[in-house]
């Protein structure tokens, strides 16, 4: 087995770094696109053949990969096989970055969804409520099949673009709409970009500005926008992460998070059947996907994947202790309380706390007055420590 594995990304026919090693391997089609040709590289037909050559090398081996090998690429498999400490990775621009470059659009706010080796319905579900999506298509799920599945779910986008053979002589970028893409035949390994609007965001990433009346709720049980804004800021949600919304109520925090953050998976846990019904109603109303879990915490949390962040809107200190033991290292836990004594107990576990007191303007016959609302205590921390 090689002592060191150098992984070099290739884009537009150019390696991101000079390939080096006792053996240099690359897919035959990738090598054919390189200019000038890499004469010393060994062409292979698949990754398994490349790994056999790497395993038979005692010193340093080099694998050439398309684009950024750490972005839905081979780095994950190589890190598991050889260990991250043996890898030296030189990324080139990914197919997604090239696709958005060709379209003249930023993509830091895009949701990137792989349709490789996964159920198409699951892939399409991840596009719910998104404004800018890039699908990595595959022989099993080519662009026309993905577009047809989006239309079947009534996910209507204003524009679509199929970006194929990026950086190669046969490169093609076709702007169209979803019905046109669904009716055509396209290279299977493409990037399908779907846009609502012009593709340039005109709002902040985390807005937290949905009004309480925009949610179905019971007896006013909905986190107010001002508290929601603080909670979302403290949660530090990230793309591709897992969030638990425990004691979700109307689901307002989880819904705002899901609307704002690409590929965030939200589990909304609620014990009350009427509020569970409101969760489904609100998810449909705001066109987001929530994984609704009906049950009593902490028992209902047992089979959920470990979270990157947790919002505790109800459940008490026992539930808080439970989520603290499950959150990933470096992950945030945020809790909201109406009663100071409960908040102080949570503060001893998490370490930070603020009191949010809002006064809301109300009309009077001669003008307006500020009416105070009940204060809310927001507590947060990283119970697992920093990574």
């Amino acid at each position: 087995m090689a002592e060191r594995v150098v992984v070099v990304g290739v884009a537009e026919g150019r390696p991101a770094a000079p390939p080096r090693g006792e053996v240099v391997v690359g897919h035959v089609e990738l090598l054919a696109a390189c200019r000038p040709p890499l004469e010393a590289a060994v062409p292979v037909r698949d990754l398994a053949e490349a790994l056999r050559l790497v395993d038979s090398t005692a010193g340093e081996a080099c694998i050439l990969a398309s684009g950024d090998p750490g972005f839905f690429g081979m780095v994950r498999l190589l890190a598991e096989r050889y260990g991250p400490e043996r890898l030296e990775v030189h990324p080139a621009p990914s197919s997604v970055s090239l696709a958005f470059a060709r379209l003249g659009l930023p993509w830091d706010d895009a949701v990137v969804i792989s349709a490789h080796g996964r159920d198409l319905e699951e892939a399409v579900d991840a596009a719910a409520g998104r404004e800018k999506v890039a699908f990595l298509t595959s022989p099993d799920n080519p662009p026309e099949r993905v577009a047809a599945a989006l239309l079947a779910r009534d996910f209507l986008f204003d524009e679509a673009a199929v970006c194929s053979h990026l950086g190669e002589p046969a490169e093609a970028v076709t702007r169209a709409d979803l019905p046109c893409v669904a009716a055509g035949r396209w290279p299977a390994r493409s990037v399908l970009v779907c846009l609502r609007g012009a593709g340039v965001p005109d709002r902040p990433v985390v807005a937290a500005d949905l009004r309480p009346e925009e949610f179905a709720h019971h007896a006013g049980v909905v986190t107010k926008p001002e508290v929601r804004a603080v909670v979302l800021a403290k949660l530090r949600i990230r793309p591709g992460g897992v969030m638990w919304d425990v004691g979700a109520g109307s689901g307002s925090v989880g819904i705002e998070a899901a609307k704002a953050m690409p590929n965030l998976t939200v589990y909304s846990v609620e014990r009350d059947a009427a509020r569970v019904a409101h969760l489904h109603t609100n998810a449909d109303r705001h066109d987001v996907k929530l994984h609704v879990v009906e049950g009593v915490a902490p028992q209902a949390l047992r089979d959920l994947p470990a979270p990157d962040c947790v919002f505790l809107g109800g459940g008490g200190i026992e539930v808080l202790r439970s989520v603290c033991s499950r959150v990933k290292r470096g992950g945030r836990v945020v809790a909201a309380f109406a009663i100071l004594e409960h908040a102080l107990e949570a503060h001893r576990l998490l370490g930070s706390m603020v009191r949010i007191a809002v006064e809301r303007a109300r009309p009077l016959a001669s003008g307006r007055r500020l009416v105070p609302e009940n204060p809310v205590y927001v507590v947060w921390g990283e119970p697992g420590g920093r990574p």
Side-chain angles (χ1 to χ4, degrees):
M1 182 179 291
E3 291 184 0
R4 189 159 192 79
V5 179
V6 181
V7 190
V8 177
V10 178
E12 302 182 290
R14 296 187 298 272
R20 70 173 199 274
E22 296 176 21
V23 62
V24 178
V25 300
H27 194 276
V28 59
E29 294 180 3
L30 187 67
L31 295 180
C34 288
R35 295 291 181 272
L38 300 176
E39 303 288 355
V42 179
V44 296
R45 293 287 177 183
D46 54 38
L47 183 58
E49 186 179 353
L51 293 176
R52 285 195 292 271
L53 289 170
V54 171
D55 288 344
S56 65
T57 303
E60 188 173 73
C62 178
I63 302 180
L64 299 170
S66 177
D68 183 350
F71 185 72
F72 293 100
M74 64 173 67
V75 167
R76 183 184 301 277
L77 183 149
L78 296 177
E80 292 173 352
R81 186 181 182 93
Y82 302 111
E85 67 280 358
R86 291 190 180 185
L87 300 186
E88 180 182 321
V89 182
H90 299 273
S94 68
S95 59
V96 175
S97 65
L98 289 175
F100 281 103
R102 300 298 188 262
L103 296 170
L105 293 173
W107 66 286
D108 52 350
D109 58 331
V111 178
V112 180
I113 302 170
S114 175
H116 289 255
R118 68 186 297 188
D119 179 71
L120 180 57
E121 184 177 347
E122 178 187 348
V124 168
D125 276 346
R130 306 304 184 182
E131 296 182 0
K132 183 186 294 184
V133 181
F135 286 95
L136 300 171
T137 64
S138 68
D140 289 338
N141 295 315
E144 59 269 23
R145 188 161 185 254
V146 175
L150 289 167
L151 291 171
R153 292 288 303 277
D154 293 327
F155 289 176
L156 301 180
F157 290 88
D158 299 312
E159 185 179 3
V162 180
C163 307
S164 309
H165 301 295
L166 291 163
E168 301 175 15
E171 177 179 303
V173 176
T174 304
R175 293 176 180 263
D177 55 23
L178 283 180
C180 178
V181 175
R185 290 293 180 268
W186 310 90
R189 298 185 184 278
S190 298
V191 180
L192 172 62
V193 177
C194 301
L195 304 172
R196 286 191 175 98
V200 180
D202 58 0
R203 61 181 177 84
V205 173
V206 181
D209 59 354
L210 293 173
R211 302 183 306 278
E213 55 267 27
E214 295 182 72
F215 296 95
H217 56 83
H218 175 70
V221 181
V222 57
T223 304
K224 300 302 188 293
E226 295 78 14
V227 176
R228 207 184 309 142
V230 174
V231 167
L232 288 167
K234 299 304 182 184
L235 279 171
R236 290 184 178 172
I237 54 177
R238 62 177 182 82
V242 173
M243 173 184 167
W244 290 358
D245 183 5
V246 182
S250 68
S252 62
V253 172
I255 286 170
E256 290 268 30
K259 285 177 70 69
M261 190 56 60
N263 290 343
L264 180 71
T265 301
V266 180
Y267 290 88
S268 300
V269 183
E270 177 56 57
R271 63 188 296 175
D272 184 89
R275 293 176 184 174
V276 167
H278 290 150
L279 283 170
H280 289 291
T281 298
N282 289 328
D284 290 342
R285 179 178 296 175
H286 295 286
D287 196 19
V288 300
K289 182 175 179 60
L290 299 180
H291 298 271
V292 178
V293 180
E294 183 174 1
V296 179
Q299 293 81 3
L301 309 175
R302 186 176 299 128
D303 297 326
L304 301 186
D308 298 280
C309 61
V310 180
F311 172 57
L312 184 66
I317 297 301
E318 178 191 357
V319 178
L320 177 59
R321 293 183 189 278
S322 179
V323 301
C324 286
S325 69
R326 292 286 307 281
V327 70
K328 293 178 184 177
R329 181 171 172 78
R332 278 287 179 95
V333 175
V334 181
F337 297 92
I339 299 174
L340 176 60
E341 288 75 15
H342 295 169
L344 290 173
E345 193 170 352
H347 179 245
R348 284 191 284 271
L349 290 173
L350 296 176
S352 298
M353 182 174 74
V354 294
R355 176 180 180 268
I356 301 175
V358 174
E359 294 183 344
R360 203 171 301 281
R362 304 295 185 196
L364 291 173
S366 58
R368 290 179 175 270
R369 66 172 178 169
L370 292 175
V371 178
E373 295 184 348
N374 291 330
V376 175
Y377 303 93
V378 176
V379 189
W380 71 93
E382 296 162 7
R386 297 301 298 163

